[in-house]
């Protein structure tokens, strides 16, 4: 076996030695695997001898090139992904709001974590934030000044947390808030004060009763959409915003609709009362809803078709399935004469009721656009 061949060369300046060693490979079976010692392994592999000489000479004499200023690296919280002013920090097991959130962030996603509290300075400097998702955390405490910096936030998603009350000092710019599935039992007077831009509130699946809404709880709001489903309501709540276009109260314990319950909601287009315990709708109650297009009364305990449907000129969809309706008369849905109803029905569901569909007269559905829009079915006890 030949000995190792080494060449020693003195550099011109005499202070550094370059040791170039060429080892003759013994055999493939005796060669050791590559082991990187440090950064310079890459330098030695990628540079030729002349390059090494130049690099070492520069170290001795100093480079003529001025040192470049450090480039600006945008902030992004550790573990998160930041792209196009969207900061995604979901599913990371976070126990608090992360630091170093870029100040130009438009949407911040913190859902599916373990955050328990929102502190005063958690969102400091995020004046450009448009949407904030805190869904599916463990938040039970919110500092009264947490949302003060968020001057332009319009969407707040707070569902699936442990809130017991509506957070205070919400941004006046807020348009949509979803606090579904929390532990809210009380909505005090003025809980939404100053939120004149609010358009949509989703607050279902909270253990709230009718008595939980204090007088003036919704004062000042001009909502289009409100959903209080899966709660513990036994009646239609009072003093909801009269601007509502959609009201969803499904999956509650409402037992009846009284004459004055709907008197202030003249702008309603869609009303959801399905999956309740409603046995009676007082005659004349529906006359307060002249613009209604959809009425959901399925999965209740009605014994007959509600009165007043023929007078509702714009009503198009009526869900009455899964009730106790045993008879349908010829004038239950359509008015007598022509020109009274301005739109035709395109959906009437009556299946899962103890009514014999072959006994219903064809003229009953004379104001239905298509016979396929009528849904009957066999009744099963």
């Amino acid at each position: 076996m030949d000995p190792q061949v080494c060449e020693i060369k003195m550099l011109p300046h005499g202070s550094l030695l370059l040791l170039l060693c060429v080892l003759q490979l013994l055999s493939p079976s005796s060669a050791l695997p590559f082991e990187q010692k440090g950064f310079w392994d890459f330098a030695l592999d990628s540079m030729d001898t002349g390059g090494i000489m130049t690099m070492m000479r520069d170290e001795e004499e100093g480079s003529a090139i001025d040192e470049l200023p450090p480039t600006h690296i945008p902030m992004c919280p550790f573990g998160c992904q930041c792209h196009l002013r969207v900061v995604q920090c979901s599913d990371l097991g976070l126990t608090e709001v992360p630091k170093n959130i870029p100040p130009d962030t438009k949407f911040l996603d913190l859902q599916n974590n373990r955050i328990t509290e929102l502190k005063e300075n958690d969102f400091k400097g995020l004046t450009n934030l448009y949407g904030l998702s805190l869904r599916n955390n463990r938040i039970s405490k919110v500092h009264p000044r947490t949302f003060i910096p968020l001057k332009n936030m319009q969407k707040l998603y707070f569902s699936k947390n442990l809130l017991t009350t509506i957070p205070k000092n919400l941004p006046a710019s807020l348009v949509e808030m979803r606090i579904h599935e929390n532990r809210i039992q009380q909505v005090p007077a003025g809980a939404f004060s100053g939120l004149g831009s609010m358009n949509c509130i989703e607050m279902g699946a909270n253990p709230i009763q009718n008595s939980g809404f204090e007088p003036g709880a919704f004062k000042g709001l001009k909502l289009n959409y409100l959903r209080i489903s899966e709660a513990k309501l036994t009646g239609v709540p009072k003093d909801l915003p009269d601007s509502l276009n959609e009201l969803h109260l499904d999956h509650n314990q409402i037992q009846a609709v009284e004459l004055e319950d709907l008197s202030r909601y003249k702008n309603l287009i869609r009303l959801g009362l399905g999956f309740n315990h409603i046995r009676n709708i007082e005659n004349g109650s529906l006359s307060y809803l002249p613009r209604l297009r959809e009425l959901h009364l399925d999965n209740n305990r009605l014994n007959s078709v509600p009165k007043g449907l023929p007078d509702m000129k714009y009503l198009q969809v009526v869900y009455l399935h899964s009730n106790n309706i045993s008879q349908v008369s010829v004038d239950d849905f359509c008015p007598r004469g022509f020109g009274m109803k301005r739109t035709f029905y395109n959906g009437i569901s009556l299946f899962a009721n103890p009514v014999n569909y072959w006994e219903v007269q064809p003229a009953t559905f004379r104001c239905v656009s298509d016979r396929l829009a009528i849904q009957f079915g066999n009744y099963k006890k």
Side-chain angles (χ1 to χ4, degrees), residues 13-234:
H13 296 280
S15 60
L16 295 175
L17 293 177
L18 176 64
L19 180 62
L20 298 176
C21 298
V22 180
L23 296 176
Q24 182 179 11
L25 296 178
L26 302 177
S27 66
S29 60
S30 62
L32 297 176
F34 170 76
E35 181 180 359
Q36 181 182 336
K37 301 297 183 182
F39 169 77
W40 292 112
D41 289 330
F42 291 109
L44 290 172
D45 288 340
S46 60
M47 299 178 66
D48 57 13
T49 304
I52 296 174
M53 297 288 290
T54 303
M55 179 183 70
M56 298 180 74
R57 190 181 303 115
D58 286 344
E59 285 185 353
E60 285 190 325
E61 300 177 353
S63 175
I65 303 175
D66 293 335
E67 185 177 350
L68 295 175
T71 57
H72 174 69
I73 301 176
M75 293 183 297
C76 189
F78 179 77
C80 302
Q81 298 182 27
C82 303
H83 183 62
L84 298 177
R85 293 187 287 182
V86 174
V87 178
Q88 186 176 10
C89 303
S90 61
D91 303 277
L92 295 177
L94 300 175
T95 56
E96 61 181 7
V97 176
K99 309 298 181 185
N100 298 325
I101 299 172
D104 63 344
T105 299
K106 284 285 188 180
F107 187 82
L108 176 59
D109 182 5
L110 293 169
Q111 66 179 322
N112 301 329
N113 281 293
R114 300 174 185 173
I115 301 171
T116 59
E117 178 183 357
L118 297 183
K119 302 180 180 67
E120 179 177 0
N121 295 319
D122 278 347
F123 306 114
K124 186 177 181 180
L126 300 183
T127 56
N128 296 307
L129 196 66
Y130 173 85
L132 172 62
S133 177
L134 295 161
R135 183 181 177 276
N136 196 25
N137 276 276
R138 302 173 184 177
I139 300 169
S140 61
K141 185 178 180 181
V142 180
H143 192 281
R145 297 185 60 81
T146 293
F147 298 111
I148 295 296
L150 308 179
K151 305 293 185 182
N152 296 299
M153 187 169 71
Q154 295 189 25
K155 297 180 181 294
L156 175 60
Y157 303 131
F158 227 134
S159 299
K160 291 193 174 182
N161 277 279
L162 304 176
L163 295 177
T164 57
T165 186
I166 306 296
K168 296 183 178 180
N169 298 319
L170 294 168
S173 57
L174 206 58
V175 173
E176 177 182 346
M177 180 169 66
R178 298 183 183 271
I179 49 176
H180 184 88
E181 201 169 336
N182 276 271
R183 298 182 178 178
I184 298 171
Q185 299 186 44
Q186 197 78 15
V187 181
F192 303 104
S193 61
L195 301 179
S197 299
M198 186 77 81
N199 182 60
C200 168
I201 295 180
E202 158 64 84
M203 58 182 304
N206 282 285
I208 190 167
Q209 302 178 3
N210 286 74
S211 58
F213 295 102
E214 294 184 4
F218 294 93
K219 185 178 181 180
L221 289 180
K222 297 179 180 179
L223 296 180
N224 286 331
Y225 179 99
L226 176 62
R227 188 165 185 255
I228 316 174
S229 63
E230 302 172 77
K232 295 185 177 181
L233 302 178
T234 55

Side-chain angles (χ1 to χ4, degrees), residues 100 167 201 249 269 343 352:
N100 298 325
I201 295 180
L249 302 173
I269 294 175
T343 57

